[in-house]
Amino acid sequence: MVLLVLSLSSAYAGNSLRVGTAGAQELLIPVGSRGTAMGGAVLSTAYGVEAMYWNPAGLAGLEGTEAGFTHLPYIADIDVNFVGVATNIEGFGTLGVGAKVVSIGEMEETTEDFPDGTGRVFDPSLTVLNVSYAREFTAAVSFGVTAMFINEDIFEAQASGIAFDVGFIYKPRWYGLTLGLTVKNYGPEMSFSGRGFDESDGNRPVAGTGATFDLPSSLNLGITYKFLSQDKNIASISGNYRSNNYSLDVWNGGMEYVYDDIFSLRAGYNYSDQDSYLYGLTLGGGLKYDFGSTNISVEYTWMDTDEDAFDANQFFTIKMTF
């Protein structure tokens, strides 16, 4: 893990000159209420279907099968929905599949000749489909990988590509510490194509070519300290460092308190030196109820955003383990 960090540290350094030059930004929209309520500082403690986004190594600790759904009324009236299911296969590891769909809503086509609209309406959509695999190498080390298929459909132009997340979780069994490492959104360049690039020079049709763009890759390091584990009370504090390749770096901090594995309270904070960084304070909680062999969890997150531009984000999650 240390060698991997050192080998990639120069490539994954926050760079203000690269801000806004990467595409496929839907890869950066988080899923799940637990992780977002802790400010994203769950790299070393991710588990269940949410781990497919935060750190696929967290799937390795899953027992049985878990299904989850998250709804996010995102900024600018955009809706984000995620659904996933993961199951542990004895002697093999844990497999998971998921889908994130970003619905931007209806928009009217405008052109130079018709700046007020042509009358044609389109509905852009961004989709990320993933397949994840995780396994415990030892009692202390877990490994996971997520492969993602990305599809962007914007009227008469489309782009598709693939990306990978690779993660590790290490539990040294020392003073309640847990460490995590993830390389996220690593993949080849993407580009748009389709009828939207067709035009005419007056005499013959001409097909344009869309420029290529990179994915918003990052190197992520996380640590968690469980400072309370007594009777029915468990509490921990976590921190993440995200070294972005196409924006300034981000620091995340979070806390979680769980009572009797039923009630949970969470809080976190996101920080970056980037001008007009959108996110800040996060708050949330959850309730789990046992229906015999099936557990159902309902969780919520409130995430502060730049109040002058957008309303706060709210995440609604329901999970079922059986």
Side-chain angles (χ1 to χ4, degrees):
M1 292 173 67
V2 172
L3 291 175
L4 180 60
V5 171
L6 293 177
S7 66
L8 296 176
S9 59
S10 60
Y12 290 88
N15 190 331
S16 59
L17 300 178
R18 292 180 173 180
V19 173
T21 61
Q25 294 296 300
E26 63 273 17
L27 292 172
L28 300 180
I29 301 176
V31 300
S33 295
R34 177 177 181 263
T36 53
M38 295 176 64
V42 291
L43 190 68
S44 51
T45 61
Y47 62 82
V49 293
E50 292 185 26
M52 291 190 285
Y53 172 81
W54 299 104
N55 185 348
L59 280 175
L62 179 66
E63 297 180 359
T65 300
E66 182 176 277
F69 172 77
T70 295
H71 172 66
L72 163 64
Y74 197 45
I75 58 178
D77 297 324
I78 297 173
D79 283 332
V80 181
N81 292 294
F82 170 81
V83 61
V85 60
T87 186
N88 180 269
I89 303 174
E90 186 175 355
F92 176 75
T94 303
L95 285 176
V97 294
K100 181 200 298 181
V101 179
V102 181
S103 301
I104 298 176
E106 291 187 348
M107 304 175 66
E108 187 174 4
E109 178 192 34
T110 59
T111 66
E112 293 183 9
D113 296 328
F114 299 94
D116 295 325
T118 65
R120 294 204 297 174
V121 176
F122 61 100
D123 188 358
S125 64
L126 315 173
T127 305
V128 180
L129 306 177
N130 72 269
V131 177
S132 301
Y133 171 75
R135 184 179 178 89
E136 292 182 337
F137 285 153
T138 69
V141 179
S142 300
F143 163 80
V145 59
T146 292
M148 294 169 286
F149 173 74
I150 310 157
N151 184 71
E152 301 186 350
D153 188 348
I154 305 176
F155 200 20
E156 295 179 335
Q158 298 79 35
S160 59
I162 57 174
F164 297 90
D165 291 353
V166 179
F168 294 88
I169 291 180
Y170 175 51
K171 302 177 182 178
R173 299 182 182 180
W174 183 70
Y175 288 99
L177 292 178
T178 306
L179 308 175
L181 167 68
T182 308
V183 176
K184 293 182 64 65
N185 306 326
Y186 180 80
E189 296 177 330
M190 294 174 56
S191 64
F192 278 94
S193 61
R195 293 178 54 193
F197 289 90
D198 296 343
E199 53 184 280
S200 174
D201 64 359
N203 299 311
R204 58 182 179 177
V206 177
T209 301
T212 60
F213 56 88
D214 292 320
L215 303 182
S217 54
S218 64
L219 175 66
N220 304 263
L221 304 173
I223 184 170
T224 296
Y225 170 54
K226 185 183 294 184
F227 61 88
L228 175 64
S229 181
Q230 184 177 11
D231 297 329
K232 298 181 179 181
N233 300 282
I234 297 177
S236 61
I237 184 170
S238 302
N240 279 8
Y241 167 67
R242 185 169 79 227
S243 181
N244 294 307
N245 206 11
Y246 290 92
S247 63
L248 296 187
D249 298 339
V250 176
W251 297 85
N252 314 108
M255 297 183 64
E256 181 180 43
Y257 168 75
V258 180
Y259 175 75
D260 198 21
D261 197 31
I262 297 178
F263 303 100
S264 58
L265 295 174
R266 305 174 181 115
Y269 194 82
N270 299 270
Y271 173 78
S272 174
D273 285 333
Q274 187 169 313
D275 291 339
S276 301
Y277 184 67
L278 190 60
Y279 301 109
L281 178 67
T282 60
L283 299 169
L287 173 65
K288 180 190 292 186
Y289 193 81
D290 185 2
F291 292 91
S293 60
T294 302
N295 293 324
I296 296 181
S297 300
V298 179
E299 299 174 335
Y300 170 78
T301 293
W302 176 88
M303 178 183 289
D304 188 26
T305 59
D306 186 346
E307 60 183 14
D308 295 330
F310 305 105
D311 294 333
N313 286 172
Q314 299 183 74
F315 294 76
F316 304 88
T317 300
I318 183 170
K319 296 184 291 185
M320 181 170 61
T321 305
F322 49 91

